[in-house]
PDB file of all heavy atoms in Angstrom:
ATOM      1  N   LYS N   1       0.814  -1.222   0.000  1.00 95.00           N
ATOM      2  CA  LYS N   1       0.000   0.000   0.000  1.00 95.00           C
ATOM      3  C   LYS N   1       0.847   1.272   0.000  1.00 95.00           C
ATOM      4  O   LYS N   1       0.373   2.339  -0.383  1.00 95.00           O
ATOM      5  CB  LYS N   1      -0.970   0.033   1.189  1.00 95.00           C
ATOM      6  CG  LYS N   1      -2.164   0.982   0.990  1.00 95.00           C
ATOM      7  CD  LYS N   1      -3.087   0.955   2.210  1.00 95.00           C
ATOM      8  CE  LYS N   1      -4.308   1.825   1.992  1.00 95.00           C
ATOM      9  NZ  LYS N   1      -5.282   1.219   1.079  1.00 95.00           N
ATOM     10  N   PHE N   2       2.109   1.199   0.418  1.00 97.00           N
ATOM     11  CA  PHE N   2       2.951   2.384   0.516  1.00 97.00           C
ATOM     12  C   PHE N   2       3.980   2.429  -0.620  1.00 97.00           C
ATOM     13  O   PHE N   2       4.540   1.396  -1.008  1.00 97.00           O
ATOM     14  CB  PHE N   2       3.700   2.396   1.856  1.00 97.00           C
ATOM     15  CG  PHE N   2       2.787   2.484   3.049  1.00 97.00           C
ATOM     16  CD1 PHE N   2       2.445   1.345   3.762  1.00 97.00           C
ATOM     17  CD2 PHE N   2       2.268   3.704   3.452  1.00 97.00           C
ATOM     18  CE1 PHE N   2       1.593   1.418   4.858  1.00 97.00           C
ATOM     19  CE2 PHE N   2       1.424   3.796   4.547  1.00 97.00           C
ATOM     20  CZ  PHE N   2       1.088   2.645   5.257  1.00 97.00           C
ATOM     21  N   VAL N   3       4.245   3.639  -1.123  1.00 97.00           N
ATOM     22  CA  VAL N   3       5.247   3.777  -2.186  1.00 97.00           C
ATOM     23  C   VAL N   3       6.625   3.426  -1.636  1.00 97.00           C
ATOM     24  O   VAL N   3       6.882   3.597  -0.435  1.00 97.00           O
ATOM     25  CB  VAL N   3       5.246   5.202  -2.777  1.00 97.00           C
ATOM     26  CG1 VAL N   3       3.883   5.560  -3.319  1.00 97.00           C
ATOM     27  CG2 VAL N   3       5.707   6.235  -1.749  1.00 97.00           C
ATOM     28  N   PRO N   4       7.528   2.930  -2.464  1.00 94.00           N
ATOM     29  CA  PRO N   4       8.861   2.544  -2.000  1.00 94.00           C
ATOM     30  C   PRO N   4       9.740   3.761  -1.763  1.00 94.00           C
ATOM     31  O   PRO N   4       9.416   4.883  -2.169  1.00 94.00           O
ATOM     32  CB  PRO N   4       9.390   1.710  -3.171  1.00 94.00           C
ATOM     33  CG  PRO N   4       8.706   2.294  -4.369  1.00 94.00           C
ATOM     34  CD  PRO N   4       7.327   2.680  -3.902  1.00 94.00           C
ATOM     35  N   PRO N   5      10.876   3.563  -1.102  1.00 93.00           N
ATOM     36  CA  PRO N   5      11.828   4.667  -0.940  1.00 93.00           C
ATOM     37  C   PRO N   5      12.445   5.049  -2.277  1.00 93.00           C
ATOM     38  O   PRO N   5      12.428   4.255  -3.232  1.00 93.00           O
ATOM     39  CB  PRO N   5      12.882   4.095   0.018  1.00 93.00           C
ATOM     40  CG  PRO N   5      12.810   2.614  -0.184  1.00 93.00           C
ATOM     41  CD  PRO N   5      11.366   2.318  -0.481  1.00 93.00           C
ATOM     42  N   VAL N   6      12.982   6.256  -2.356  1.00 93.00           N
ATOM     43  CA  VAL N   6      13.680   6.693  -3.569  1.00 93.00           C
ATOM     44  C   VAL N   6      14.883   5.783  -3.808  1.00 93.00           C
ATOM     45  O   VAL N   6      15.205   5.433  -4.944  1.00 93.00           O
ATOM     46  CB  VAL N   6      14.116   8.168  -3.434  1.00 93.00           C
ATOM     47  CG1 VAL N   6      14.943   8.609  -4.638  1.00 93.00           C
ATOM     48  CG2 VAL N   6      12.882   9.061  -3.285  1.00 93.00           C
ATOM     49  N   PHE N   7      15.546   5.388  -2.720  1.00 88.00           N
ATOM     50  CA  PHE N   7      16.607   4.383  -2.793  1.00 88.00           C
ATOM     51  C   PHE N   7      16.500   3.524  -1.553  1.00 88.00           C
ATOM     52  O   PHE N   7      16.398   4.046  -0.438  1.00 88.00           O
ATOM     53  CB  PHE N   7      17.992   5.037  -2.856  1.00 88.00           C
ATOM     54  CG  PHE N   7      19.124   4.046  -2.804  1.00 88.00           C
ATOM     55  CD1 PHE N   7      19.430   3.272  -3.910  1.00 88.00           C
ATOM     56  CD2 PHE N   7      19.858   3.857  -1.638  1.00 88.00           C
ATOM     57  CE1 PHE N   7      20.445   2.331  -3.860  1.00 88.00           C
ATOM     58  CE2 PHE N   7      20.884   2.923  -1.584  1.00 88.00           C
ATOM     59  CZ  PHE N   7      21.178   2.156  -2.704  1.00 88.00           C
ATOM     60  N   ASP N   8      16.514   2.204  -1.708  1.00 81.00           N
ATOM     61  CA  ASP N   8      16.363   1.292  -0.586  1.00 81.00           C
ATOM     62  C   ASP N   8      17.732   0.959   0.011  1.00 81.00           C
ATOM     63  O   ASP N   8      18.510   0.211  -0.570  1.00 81.00           O
ATOM     64  CB  ASP N   8      15.657   0.014  -1.031  1.00 81.00           C
ATOM     65  CG  ASP N   8      15.238  -0.852   0.156  1.00 81.00           C
ATOM     66  OD1 ASP N   8      15.657  -0.543   1.295  1.00 81.00           O
ATOM     67  OD2 ASP N   8      14.492  -1.824  -0.049  1.00 81.00           O
ATOM     68  N   LEU N   9      17.977   1.517   1.195  1.00 73.00           N
ATOM     69  CA  LEU N   9      19.258   1.296   1.862  1.00 73.00           C
ATOM     70  C   LEU N   9      19.354  -0.073   2.523  1.00 73.00           C
ATOM     71  O   LEU N   9      20.444  -0.502   2.900  1.00 73.00           O
ATOM     72  CB  LEU N   9      19.471   2.374   2.939  1.00 73.00           C
ATOM     73  CG  LEU N   9      19.750   3.789   2.444  1.00 73.00           C
ATOM     74  CD1 LEU N   9      19.635   4.775   3.604  1.00 73.00           C
ATOM     75  CD2 LEU N   9      21.132   3.876   1.824  1.00 73.00           C
ATOM     76  N   LEU N  10      18.226  -0.746   2.686  1.00 69.00           N
ATOM     77  CA  LEU N  10      18.206  -1.977   3.470  1.00 69.00           C
ATOM     78  C   LEU N  10      18.318  -3.240   2.635  1.00 69.00           C
ATOM     79  O   LEU N  10      18.062  -4.322   3.142  1.00 69.00           O
ATOM     80  CB  LEU N  10      16.925  -2.031   4.313  1.00 69.00           C
ATOM     81  CG  LEU N  10      16.733  -0.886   5.309  1.00 69.00           C
ATOM     82  CD1 LEU N  10      15.461  -1.104   6.120  1.00 69.00           C
ATOM     83  CD2 LEU N  10      17.934  -0.761   6.232  1.00 69.00           C
ATOM     84  N   THR N  11      18.698  -3.118   1.370  1.00 67.00           N
ATOM     85  CA  THR N  11      18.851  -4.314   0.552  1.00 67.00           C
ATOM     86  C   THR N  11      19.913  -5.225   1.143  1.00 67.00           C
ATOM     87  O   THR N  11      20.968  -4.776   1.606  1.00 67.00           O
ATOM     88  CB  THR N  11      19.251  -3.954  -0.894  1.00 67.00           C
ATOM     89  OG1 THR N  11      20.378  -3.074  -0.854  1.00 67.00           O
ATOM     90  CG2 THR N  11      18.105  -3.270  -1.606  1.00 67.00           C
ATOM     91  N   GLU N  12      19.626  -6.515   1.122  1.00 58.00           N
ATOM     92  CA  GLU N  12      20.543  -7.494   1.710  1.00 58.00           C
ATOM     93  C   GLU N  12      21.888  -7.473   0.977  1.00 58.00           C
ATOM     94  O   GLU N  12      21.944  -7.421  -0.249  1.00 58.00           O
ATOM     95  CB  GLU N  12      19.930  -8.893   1.630  1.00 58.00           C
ATOM     96  CG  GLU N  12      20.706  -9.937   2.407  1.00 58.00           C
ATOM     97  CD  GLU N  12      20.015 -11.285   2.401  1.00 58.00           C
ATOM     98  OE1 GLU N  12      18.892 -11.383   1.852  1.00 58.00           O
ATOM     99  OE2 GLU N  12      20.593 -12.229   2.936  1.00 58.00           O
ATOM    100  N   ASN N  13      22.958  -7.481   1.749  1.00 64.00           N
ATOM    101  CA  ASN N  13      24.324  -7.419   1.216  1.00 64.00           C
ATOM    102  C   ASN N  13      24.596  -6.125   0.458  1.00 64.00           C
ATOM    103  O   ASN N  13      25.519  -6.056  -0.358  1.00 64.00           O
ATOM    104  CB  ASN N  13      24.609  -8.623   0.303  1.00 64.00           C
ATOM    105  CG  ASN N  13      24.551  -9.936   1.054  1.00 64.00           C
ATOM    106  OD1 ASN N  13      24.998 -10.018   2.196  1.00 64.00           O
ATOM    107  ND2 ASN N  13      23.983 -10.954   0.439  1.00 64.00           N
ATOM    108  N   GLY N  14      23.795  -5.091   0.733  1.00 73.00           N
ATOM    109  CA  GLY N  14      24.037  -3.793   0.138  1.00 73.00           C
ATOM    110  C   GLY N  14      25.239  -3.114   0.771  1.00 73.00           C
ATOM    111  O   GLY N  14      25.725  -3.530   1.836  1.00 73.00           O
ATOM    112  N   PHE N  15      25.702  -2.038   0.144  1.00 81.00           N
ATOM    113  CA  PHE N  15      26.927  -1.385   0.638  1.00 81.00           C
ATOM    114  C   PHE N  15      26.743  -0.826   2.042  1.00 81.00           C
ATOM    115  O   PHE N  15      27.692  -0.766   2.815  1.00 81.00           O
ATOM    116  CB  PHE N  15      27.357  -0.286  -0.334  1.00 81.00           C
ATOM    117  CG  PHE N  15      26.514   0.963  -0.302  1.00 81.00           C
ATOM    118  CD1 PHE N  15      26.756   1.971   0.616  1.00 81.00           C
ATOM    119  CD2 PHE N  15      25.462   1.122  -1.202  1.00 81.00           C
ATOM    120  CE1 PHE N  15      25.983   3.118   0.635  1.00 81.00           C
ATOM    121  CE2 PHE N  15      24.690   2.264  -1.180  1.00 81.00           C
ATOM    122  CZ  PHE N  15      24.941   3.258  -0.255  1.00 81.00           C
ATOM    123  N   LEU N  16      25.514  -0.427   2.418  1.00 76.00           N
ATOM    124  CA  LEU N  16      25.304   0.123   3.757  1.00 76.00           C
ATOM    125  C   LEU N  16      25.509  -0.939   4.819  1.00 76.00           C
ATOM    126  O   LEU N  16      26.203  -0.695   5.825  1.00 76.00           O
ATOM    127  CB  LEU N  16      23.900   0.721   3.876  1.00 76.00           C
ATOM    128  CG  LEU N  16      23.564   1.312   5.259  1.00 76.00           C
ATOM    129  CD1 LEU N  16      24.523   2.441   5.616  1.00 76.00           C
ATOM    130  CD2 LEU N  16      22.131   1.793   5.320  1.00 76.00           C
ATOM    131  N   ASN N  17      24.928  -2.109   4.616  1.00 82.00           N
ATOM    132  CA  ASN N  17      25.095  -3.181   5.595  1.00 82.00           C
ATOM    133  C   ASN N  17      26.554  -3.586   5.731  1.00 82.00           C
ATOM    134  O   ASN N  17      27.053  -3.812   6.838  1.00 82.00           O
ATOM    135  CB  ASN N  17      24.255  -4.400   5.197  1.00 82.00           C
ATOM    136  CG  ASN N  17      22.779  -4.183   5.434  1.00 82.00           C
ATOM    137  OD1 ASN N  17      22.395  -3.378   6.283  1.00 82.00           O
ATOM    138  ND2 ASN N  17      21.934  -4.882   4.694  1.00 82.00           N
ATOM    139  N   ILE N  18      27.242  -3.657   4.598  1.00 86.00           N
ATOM    140  CA  ILE N  18      28.676  -4.014   4.633  1.00 86.00           C
ATOM    141  C   ILE N  18      29.464  -2.927   5.353  1.00 86.00           C
ATOM    142  O   ILE N  18      30.325  -3.207   6.198  1.00 86.00           O
ATOM    143  CB  ILE N  18      29.208  -4.210   3.198  1.00 86.00           C
ATOM    144  CG1 ILE N  18      28.537  -5.423   2.547  1.00 86.00           C
ATOM    145  CG2 ILE N  18      30.722  -4.373   3.198  1.00 86.00           C
ATOM    146  CD1 ILE N  18      28.828  -5.587   1.073  1.00 86.00           C
ATOM    147  N   GLY N  19      29.165  -1.662   5.030  1.00 88.00           N
ATOM    148  CA  GLY N  19      29.864  -0.550   5.662  1.00 88.00           C
ATOM    149  C   GLY N  19      29.613  -0.467   7.150  1.00 88.00           C
ATOM    150  O   GLY N  19      30.531  -0.154   7.932  1.00 88.00           O
ATOM    151  N   MET N  20      28.397  -0.751   7.581  1.00 87.00           N
ATOM    152  CA  MET N  20      28.080  -0.718   9.005  1.00 87.00           C
ATOM    153  C   MET N  20      28.777  -1.846   9.756  1.00 87.00           C
ATOM    154  O   MET N  20      29.198  -1.676  10.914  1.00 87.00           O
ATOM    155  CB  MET N  20      26.565  -0.804   9.208  1.00 87.00           C
ATOM    156  CG  MET N  20      25.796   0.418   8.715  1.00 87.00           C
ATOM    157  SD  MET N  20      26.358   1.973   9.483  1.00 87.00           S
ATOM    158  CE  MET N  20      25.894   1.693  11.189  1.00 87.00           C
ATOM    159  N   LYS N  21      28.920  -2.997   9.114  1.00 91.00           N
ATOM    160  CA  LYS N  21      29.651  -4.105   9.740  1.00 91.00           C
ATOM    161  C   LYS N  21      31.122  -3.728   9.948  1.00 91.00           C
ATOM    162  O   LYS N  21      31.722  -4.060  10.977  1.00 91.00           O
ATOM    163  CB  LYS N  21      29.544  -5.361   8.873  1.00 91.00           C
ATOM    164  CG  LYS N  21      28.168  -6.008   8.902  1.00 91.00           C
ATOM    165  CD  LYS N  21      28.100  -7.209   7.965  1.00 91.00           C
ATOM    166  CE  LYS N  21      26.699  -7.814   7.969  1.00 91.00           C
ATOM    167  NZ  LYS N  21      26.594  -8.957   7.007  1.00 91.00           N
ATOM    168  N   GLU N  22      31.685  -3.026   8.977  1.00 93.00           N
ATOM    169  CA  GLU N  22      33.076  -2.579   9.103  1.00 93.00           C
ATOM    170  C   GLU N  22      33.221  -1.581  10.244  1.00 93.00           C
ATOM    171  O   GLU N  22      34.201  -1.625  11.004  1.00 93.00           O
ATOM    172  CB  GLU N  22      33.539  -1.961   7.779  1.00 93.00           C
ATOM    173  CG  GLU N  22      33.671  -2.984   6.652  1.00 93.00           C
ATOM    174  CD  GLU N  22      33.944  -2.331   5.304  1.00 93.00           C
ATOM    175  OE1 GLU N  22      33.907  -1.089   5.229  1.00 93.00           O
ATOM    176  OE2 GLU N  22      34.200  -3.073   4.331  1.00 93.00           O
ATOM    177  N   LEU N  23      32.263  -0.676  10.400  1.00 93.00           N
ATOM    178  CA  LEU N  23      32.283   0.276  11.516  1.00 93.00           C
ATOM    179  C   LEU N  23      32.171  -0.450  12.855  1.00 93.00           C
ATOM    180  O   LEU N  23      32.848  -0.095  13.831  1.00 93.00           O
ATOM    181  CB  LEU N  23      31.143   1.278  11.377  1.00 93.00           C
ATOM    182  CG  LEU N  23      31.329   2.415  10.379  1.00 93.00           C
ATOM    183  CD1 LEU N  23      30.056   3.251  10.294  1.00 93.00           C
ATOM    184  CD2 LEU N  23      32.506   3.309  10.785  1.00 93.00           C
ATOM    185  N   THR N  24      31.330  -1.474  12.896  1.00 94.00           N
ATOM    186  CA  THR N  24      31.162  -2.251  14.124  1.00 94.00           C
ATOM    187  C   THR N  24      32.466  -2.928  14.525  1.00 94.00           C
ATOM    188  O   THR N  24      32.843  -2.944  15.707  1.00 94.00           O
ATOM    189  CB  THR N  24      30.058  -3.308  13.941  1.00 94.00           C
ATOM    190  OG1 THR N  24      28.823  -2.646  13.656  1.00 94.00           O
ATOM    191  CG2 THR N  24      29.893  -4.158  15.196  1.00 94.00           C
ATOM    192  N   LEU N  25      33.179  -3.479  13.538  1.00 95.00           N
ATOM    193  CA  LEU N  25      34.466  -4.125  13.818  1.00 95.00           C
ATOM    194  C   LEU N  25      35.481  -3.117  14.362  1.00 95.00           C
ATOM    195  O   LEU N  25      36.246  -3.425  15.283  1.00 95.00           O
ATOM    196  CB  LEU N  25      35.006  -4.799  12.554  1.00 95.00           C
ATOM    197  CG  LEU N  25      34.239  -6.041  12.063  1.00 95.00           C
ATOM    198  CD1 LEU N  25      34.818  -6.529  10.737  1.00 95.00           C
ATOM    199  CD2 LEU N  25      34.317  -7.157  13.111  1.00 95.00           C
ATOM    200  N   MET N  26      35.497  -1.909  13.784  1.00 95.00           N
ATOM    201  CA  MET N  26      36.400  -0.867  14.278  1.00 95.00           C
ATOM    202  C   MET N  26      36.066  -0.485  15.716  1.00 95.00           C
ATOM    203  O   MET N  26      36.960  -0.317  16.558  1.00 95.00           O
ATOM    204  CB  MET N  26      36.313   0.371  13.378  1.00 95.00           C
ATOM    205  CG  MET N  26      36.879   0.181  11.987  1.00 95.00           C
ATOM    206  SD  MET N  26      36.755   1.728  11.026  1.00 95.00           S
ATOM    207  CE  MET N  26      36.711   1.064   9.364  1.00 95.00           C
ATOM    208  N   ASN N  27      34.793  -0.348  16.006  1.00 95.00           N
ATOM    209  CA  ASN N  27      34.370  -0.004  17.363  1.00 95.00           C
ATOM    210  C   ASN N  27      34.778  -1.073  18.363  1.00 95.00           C
ATOM    211  O   ASN N  27      35.224  -0.760  19.475  1.00 95.00           O
ATOM    212  CB  ASN N  27      32.849   0.188  17.412  1.00 95.00           C
ATOM    213  CG  ASN N  27      32.406   1.476  16.737  1.00 95.00           C
ATOM    214  OD1 ASN N  27      33.146   2.447  16.687  1.00 95.00           O
ATOM    215  ND2 ASN N  27      31.189   1.482  16.217  1.00 95.00           N
ATOM    216  N   LYS N  28      34.612  -2.334  17.976  1.00 95.00           N
ATOM    217  CA  LYS N  28      35.005  -3.432  18.858  1.00 95.00           C
ATOM    218  C   LYS N  28      36.509  -3.450  19.105  1.00 95.00           C
ATOM    219  O   LYS N  28      36.967  -3.696  20.229  1.00 95.00           O
ATOM    220  CB  LYS N  28      34.564  -4.773  18.254  1.00 95.00           C
ATOM    221  CG  LYS N  28      33.056  -5.012  18.319  1.00 95.00           C
ATOM    222  CD  LYS N  28      32.695  -6.367  17.732  1.00 95.00           C
ATOM    223  CE  LYS N  28      31.192  -6.628  17.855  1.00 95.00           C
ATOM    224  NZ  LYS N  28      30.825  -7.952  17.255  1.00 95.00           N
ATOM    225  N   GLU N  29      37.283  -3.163  18.052  1.00 94.00           N
ATOM    226  CA  GLU N  29      38.732  -3.155  18.197  1.00 94.00           C
ATOM    227  C   GLU N  29      39.185  -1.997  19.084  1.00 94.00           C
ATOM    228  O   GLU N  29      40.088  -2.157  19.921  1.00 94.00           O
ATOM    229  CB  GLU N  29      39.394  -3.066  16.825  1.00 94.00           C
ATOM    230  CG  GLU N  29      40.922  -3.069  16.837  1.00 94.00           C
ATOM    231  CD  GLU N  29      41.524  -4.336  17.428  1.00 94.00           C
ATOM    232  OE1 GLU N  29      40.785  -5.311  17.657  1.00 94.00           O
ATOM    233  OE2 GLU N  29      42.746  -4.331  17.661  1.00 94.00           O
ATOM    234  N   ILE N  30      38.566  -0.835  18.924  1.00 94.00           N
ATOM    235  CA  ILE N  30      38.890   0.313  19.783  1.00 94.00           C
ATOM    236  C   ILE N  30      38.582  -0.020  21.232  1.00 94.00           C
ATOM    237  O   ILE N  30      39.388   0.273  22.139  1.00 94.00           O
ATOM    238  CB  ILE N  30      38.102   1.563  19.328  1.00 94.00           C
ATOM    239  CG1 ILE N  30      38.646   2.067  17.985  1.00 94.00           C
ATOM    240  CG2 ILE N  30      38.186   2.680  20.379  1.00 94.00           C
ATOM    241  CD1 ILE N  30      37.803   3.156  17.351  1.00 94.00           C
ATOM    242  N   LYS N  31      37.440  -0.634  21.487  1.00 94.00           N
ATOM    243  CA  LYS N  31      37.062  -1.007  22.854  1.00 94.00           C
ATOM    244  C   LYS N  31      38.030  -2.030  23.428  1.00 94.00           C
ATOM    245  O   LYS N  31      38.429  -1.953  24.612  1.00 94.00           O
ATOM    246  CB  LYS N  31      35.644  -1.581  22.869  1.00 94.00           C
ATOM    247  CG  LYS N  31      35.116  -1.888  24.267  1.00 94.00           C
ATOM    248  CD  LYS N  31      33.698  -2.412  24.221  1.00 94.00           C
ATOM    249  CE  LYS N  31      33.146  -2.622  25.635  1.00 94.00           C
ATOM    250  NZ  LYS N  31      33.959  -3.548  26.441  1.00 94.00           N
ATOM    251  N   ARG N  32      38.447  -2.989  22.594  1.00 94.00           N
ATOM    252  CA  ARG N  32      39.387  -4.012  23.072  1.00 94.00           C
ATOM    253  C   ARG N  32      40.712  -3.376  23.479  1.00 94.00           C
ATOM    254  O   ARG N  32      41.280  -3.706  24.538  1.00 94.00           O
ATOM    255  CB  ARG N  32      39.621  -5.056  21.970  1.00 94.00           C
ATOM    256  CG  ARG N  32      40.472  -6.249  22.415  1.00 94.00           C
ATOM    257  CD  ARG N  32      40.835  -7.126  21.237  1.00 94.00           C
ATOM    258  NE  ARG N  32      41.811  -6.476  20.361  1.00 94.00           N
ATOM    259  CZ  ARG N  32      43.137  -6.432  20.620  1.00 94.00           C
ATOM    260  NH1 ARG N  32      43.636  -6.972  21.726  1.00 94.00           N
ATOM    261  NH2 ARG N  32      43.948  -5.838  19.755  1.00 94.00           N
ATOM    262  N   LEU N  33      41.227  -2.467  22.649  1.00 93.00           N
ATOM    263  CA  LEU N  33      42.494  -1.804  22.949  1.00 93.00           C
ATOM    264  C   LEU N  33      42.391  -0.930  24.200  1.00 93.00           C
ATOM    265  O   LEU N  33      43.339  -0.837  24.982  1.00 93.00           O
ATOM    266  CB  LEU N  33      42.944  -0.964  21.751  1.00 93.00           C
ATOM    267  CG  LEU N  33      43.338  -1.765  20.496  1.00 93.00           C
ATOM    268  CD1 LEU N  33      43.542  -0.821  19.314  1.00 93.00           C
ATOM    269  CD2 LEU N  33      44.601  -2.574  20.755  1.00 93.00           C
TER     270      LEU N  33
END
């Protein structure tokens, strides 16, 4: 019933999900150090 987004950021294996995983790894490494 609702129109789609102009660009869907939540596509599986999209660049956003990959990029956020990389940020998460950096955050974990900073916390570990």
Side-chain angles (χ1 to χ4, degrees):
K1 201 180 183 75
F2 297 99
V3 302
V6 175
F7 175 75
D8 191 350
L9 289 168
L10 300 183
T11 51
E12 189 175 356
N13 297 321
F15 74 85
L16 179 60
N17 286 335
I18 294 171
M20 293 303 295
K21 288 177 182 177
E22 292 172 353
L23 282 176
T24 299
L25 291 175
M26 291 181 206
N27 287 332
K28 288 181 178 179
E29 181 61 10
I30 290 171
K31 185 178 184 302
R32 186 189 71 80
L33 293 171

